[in-house]
Amino acid sequence: MRRPTRAVLSAAAIVAVAVPLSACDTWSSKCDTDNTCSIKISGDQFNDFPRPYDKDHGLESADRIRLVSATQGGEALIQAGGVESTCTQGSSFQIVDTTITCDVVGDDSVELTTTRP
C-alpha cells in the first residue's frame, strides 16, 4: 500500500515544481490577416515572430522576439530584429517593414499589435 502513496506523492511533487517553472514564460500570437497580428509575451525567452519583419519574405518567419523587461503601466524593453526598443502603452516602434505597438504593458508581460504593409 505504501508504494502507490509514495508514487502519488512523487508525481505531485514533480507537478508542483514543473507548473510554476512553465508558468514563468508564456507566448501566444494570432494573426487575423497576412499583415496584422496580436502577440502576448510573458517572461524573457526568445520566441518566433509570427510573420517576417520584412514584407518581401512572405509569411514564414525566422525572425525572433523577446521581452527583456516590463513594468506595470510603465515601459517595456523588447528585443526584436537584433535591436532593443522601448515602448510604453500606446506607443510604437519600427523593425524593418513591421510596426510594433505596445497595447498593454504589465509586470514582466506585454501585449502587442503588429502591422506591416
Side-chain angles (χ1 to χ4, degrees), residues 5-22:
T5 303
R6 190 176 301 168
V8 169
L9 290 176
S10 295
I14 291 169
V15 169
V17 170
V19 170
L21 292 176
S22 65

Side-chain angles (χ1 to χ4, degrees), residues 1-113:
M1 279 282 210
R2 288 189 168 206
R3 285 190 181 198
T5 303
R6 190 176 301 168
V8 169
L9 290 176
S10 295
I14 291 169
V15 169
V17 170
V19 170
L21 292 176
S22 65
C24 294
D25 293 299
T26 60
W27 160 265
S28 69
S29 68
K30 179 183 177 195
C31 297
D32 296 326
T33 67
D34 292 346
N35 302 331
T36 303
C37 298
S38 298
I39 299 172
K40 293 180 182 181
I41 305 172
S42 179
D44 62 359
Q45 290 184 351
F46 274 98
N47 300 283
D48 292 329
F49 200 72
R51 300 283 190 251
Y53 298 123
D54 186 338
K55 66 180 169 76
D56 294 330
H57 288 149
L59 297 179
E60 291 190 34
S61 180
D63 293 319
R64 313 268 291 157
I65 188 171
R66 83 177 182 114
L67 177 64
V68 177
S69 64
T71 305
Q72 177 75 37
E75 192 172 77
L77 178 60
I78 299 169
Q79 189 175 15
V83 176
E84 287 188 352
S85 301
T86 58
C87 66
T88 57
Q89 189 167 312
S91 70
S92 301
F93 59 94
Q94 186 95 14
I95 303 293
V96 190
D97 295 325
T98 301
T99 300
I100 300 174
T101 302
C102 289
D103 298 320
V104 177
V105 178
D107 281 329
D108 297 319
S109 66
V110 69
E111 295 180 26
L112 310 169
T113 302

